Amino acid sequence: MSERPPRGTGRGGGLLVAGTTSDAGKSVVTAGICRWLTRRGVRVAPFKAQNMSLNSFVTADGAEIGRAQAMQAAAARVEPSALMNPVLLKPGGDRTSQVVLMGRPVGELSARGFHDRRRAMVFDRVLECLAELRRTHDAVICEGAGSPAEINLRRSDIVNMGLARAARLPVVVVGDIDRGGVFASLFGTTALLSAADQELVTGYLINKFRGDVSLLEPGLESLRGLTGRPVLGVLPHRDGLGIDEEDGLRVSTHGTVREANTAPPLGSQVLRVAVIAVPLMSNFTDVDALAAEPGVVVRFCDRPEELADADLVIVPGTRGTVRALRRLRERGLAEALARRAAEGRPILGVCGGFQMLGERIEDEVESRAGTVEGLGLLPVRIRFDREKTLARPTGRVLDEPVTGYEIHHGVADVRGGEAFPGGCRVGPVWGTHWHGMLECDGFRRAFLRRVAADAGRDFVPAPDTRFAALREEQLDRLGDLVEEHADTDALWRLIEKGAPAGLPFVPPGAP
């Protein structure tokens, strides 16, 4: 790699990682590039102009951003900030989203309303954020959204080629070969772009490859002949690297968490955790720390019979508390939860899940449903406030320190039970507004010991599982993928010097 830029020059380079589809691997490739550069002493920052996600995080100064950008900041070993994700859309249904600008909610808009107005609303701010990051870092690795060839949205685009054109960013397109049709996807993505957009598309990365890479070589050569652009790397498929993704659930509602630990339990039995897959589920990464524990099996489910053999049931967060509560009742899950509580079997509600476990919900903000009866398993009344709570609280429970983060409109009036950080506890039913508590190793072990005792399981938490260290190992593996399987010299030339001149036009271009 060539010599990195001197510090403080305000000449930070940049690169945009686009994809042929959602979930092609843009987020993890961006994180991998950040970690590879960071290990070589380059001051790097991630950036995503706009994302749509229910999986979010609170920065140290109280701003809400996508968890993928927080994960990428961790890969770059920098503190996450709203500069890295100036626009976050949080869906509230099929046609509306809450718009979070610079970490703060500014209102609800329909999809059409936002796409019609977003350039005028936010594009200048987006470019200012990117310019600030480039001024203070040697490199900024930007992540696109969906596909740059979404020709119906190109006029209002601020995250793919619209951003690349405005900031003169070279673009690398990622394709997921595991889905099939990767060559057609890469070629078609390029051929649907205008000539001016194509000038910035510099090459491709093929992601999630399984097998002998030599079998791909005829296709790689043909793609270069057709487009005049090289494949800059073929990244092999690796299990357990789908961390903090944002483009949709990375689990089947009837499947186990992808990062589930395969190590055997220390006791003679496993501990089975069922997570109810509620509508508009948010921050489902809360359960990743459980899945990292040897002997803990975490699965998502949406039928009452699937709760029967679970040692712990988790009711997770949601962007639609009243809608999710209705679903629990319609599917018989509310009755199953009530039976569990009466039998003394553990339940944990997190954020929206905690709200549903309470006595009553007054909502004139999120669903505008007015007063709705909750499940009545915790002595809590919830009132939705227009102001969103965004915080990074700390506390202590089960003789262990805990930290977390809060992202909610609901204000809890706790009227009894035992104290529990961010909520309360009554017997086997625990509830909290705090996300991230299970990432605290000491608390997680103490909580699992309590759950195992209540469930009558011979389960012993591993004494040496360190979730933060496991996450660091994952990020290093992403950096290894880029370093070992991508043309890093070519990537650095693009970051430092931009797109080369004279890249050929691939017809037909944008309609």
Side-chain angles (χ1 to χ4, degrees):
M1 187 172 70
S2 59
E3 184 178 351
R4 68 184 179 91
R7 294 179 181 274
T9 62
R11 292 192 288 111
L15 178 72
L16 175 67
V17 178
T20 57
T21 63
S22 295
D23 203 32
K26 298 182 293 291
S27 295
V28 294
V29 168
T30 298
I33 294 174
C34 285
R35 177 50 60 100
W36 156 62
L37 289 171
T38 297
R39 294 193 304 205
R40 272 141 191 79
V42 177
R43 296 178 309 166
V44 61
F47 181 77
K48 184 160 186 173
Q50 170 205 309
N51 64 23
M52 179 174 282
S53 178
L54 290 171
N55 203 18
S56 58
F57 179 77
V58 179
T59 66
D61 60 354
E64 184 180 8
I65 66 172
R67 272 197 71 102
Q69 279 60 66
M71 177 267 291
Q72 291 160 357
R77 297 195 176 111
V78 294
E79 186 69 28
S81 80
L83 290 172
M84 298 170 184
N85 180 207
V87 183
L88 173 64
L89 304 179
K90 303 193 73 175
D94 293 337
R95 297 187 178 184
T96 62
S97 292
Q98 183 180 68
V99 180
V100 179
L101 179 61
M102 294 304 296
R104 302 290 173 182
V106 296
E108 298 272 342
L109 277 179
S110 68
R112 176 174 290 277
F114 181 72
H115 286 297
D116 287 348
R117 296 169 53 191
R118 64 178 171 177
R119 270 192 171 259
M121 287 173 58
V122 300
F123 199 33
D124 286 345
R125 179 64 64 88
V126 163
L127 295 176
E128 289 169 2
C129 291
L130 177 56
E132 176 64 15
L133 290 174
R134 295 180 80 170
R135 187 185 69 80
T136 54
H137 295 80
D138 301 327
V140 179
I141 309 303
C142 306
E143 180 189 343
S147 163
E150 290 168 347
I151 52 181
N152 57 316
L153 303 177
R154 177 61 185 89
R155 290 180 61 186
S156 62
D157 173 48
I158 64 171
V159 64
N160 290 308
M161 301 313 300
L163 179 71
R165 287 269 293 277
R168 302 309 299 170
L169 293 169
V171 178
V172 173
V173 181
V174 178
D176 178 0
I177 197 170
D178 204 38
R179 296 183 176 194
V182 71
F183 293 115
S185 298
L186 293 169
F187 177 84
T189 296
T190 308
L192 277 176
L193 300 177
S194 69
D197 286 351
Q198 287 189 28
E199 288 177 0
L200 295 174
V201 176
T202 60
Y204 312 107
L205 285 168
I206 292 178
N207 193 30
K208 305 180 190 176
F209 178 71
R210 306 170 192 257
D212 183 353
V213 74
S214 67
L215 297 175
L216 277 184
E217 289 175 0
L220 305 182
E221 294 172 6
S222 294
L223 185 64
R224 181 160 193 163
L226 289 166
T227 66
R229 293 158 174 86
V231 172
L232 299 173
V234 177
L235 309 182
H237 183 278
R238 292 286 187 268
D239 290 326
L241 292 182
I243 52 177
D244 292 2
E245 294 172 293
E246 65 191 24
D247 286 330
L249 270 182
R250 54 184 170 68
V251 293
S252 162
T253 56
H254 299 286
T256 54
V257 174
R258 183 179 297 170
E259 287 84 10
N261 196 305
T262 57
L266 270 67
S268 64
Q269 296 176 313
V270 299
L271 202 67
R272 296 164 296 190
V273 179
V275 184
I276 298 179
V278 297
L280 298 173
M281 182 163 26
S282 62
N283 286 66
F284 48 87
T285 49
D286 281 334
V287 302
D288 285 355
L290 292 179
E293 284 285 350
V296 176
V297 179
V298 181
R299 67 181 188 272
F300 284 76
C301 60
D302 64 353
R303 296 193 296 261
E305 58 268 25
E306 294 176 298
L307 308 188
D309 67 345
D311 303 307
L312 169 67
V313 171
I314 295 179
V315 189
T318 172
R319 172 86 163 90
T321 300
V322 171
R323 176 179 169 182
L325 183 57
R326 186 183 309 119
R327 173 72 67 84
L328 295 186
R329 289 188 165 120
E330 290 172 350
R331 298 188 66 85
L333 290 158
E335 293 178 5
L337 289 169
R339 285 195 299 271
R340 284 190 67 88
E343 294 166 359
R345 303 174 68 197
I347 299 169
L348 171 65
V350 180
C351 199
F354 164 51
Q355 295 167 3
M356 287 185 273
L357 295 178
E359 299 172 348
R360 189 174 73 194
I361 299 169
E362 296 178 18
D363 182 9
E364 299 293 348
V365 176
E366 191 176 79
S367 69
R368 297 182 176 87
T371 301
V372 177
E373 293 301 310
L375 298 181
L377 303 183
L378 288 175
V380 178
R381 296 183 180 181
I382 301 293
R383 177 183 54 82
F384 274 68
D385 192 11
R386 295 194 179 278
E387 290 294 316
K388 180 183 281 191
T389 297
L390 297 169
R392 293 266 293 268
T394 61
R396 191 172 185 87
V397 65
L398 301 180
D399 294 325
E400 296 287 348
V402 291
T403 61
Y405 58 98
E406 294 184 73
I407 306 171
H408 55 90
H409 285 278
V411 178
D413 177 13
V414 178
R415 299 184 166 209
E418 296 180 41
F420 187 62
C424 66
R425 173 196 173 198
V426 174
V429 184
W430 314 62
T432 180
H433 264 142
W434 293 14
H435 296 286
M437 289 177 65
L438 293 168
E439 296 181 14
C440 302
D441 298 329
F443 165 72
R444 184 179 64 255
R445 286 192 280 268
F447 179 68
L448 289 176
R449 281 193 292 270
R450 186 68 60 88
V451 167
D454 288 346
R457 289 281 172 188
D458 179 24
F459 170 83
V460 180
D464 55 354
T465 302
R466 295 172 53 232
F467 186 70
L470 292 173
R471 276 297 170 89
E472 272 295 298
E473 290 175 12
Q474 286 181 307
L475 294 172
D476 274 330
R477 290 170 65 198
L478 290 177
D480 293 342
L481 277 182
V482 171
E483 186 167 356
E484 295 169 8
H485 300 281
D487 185 344
T488 53
D489 288 337
L491 288 175
W492 180 248
R493 284 194 298 271
L494 293 174
I495 293 167
E496 191 177 34
K497 301 181 183 303
L503 291 168
F505 172 69
V506 180

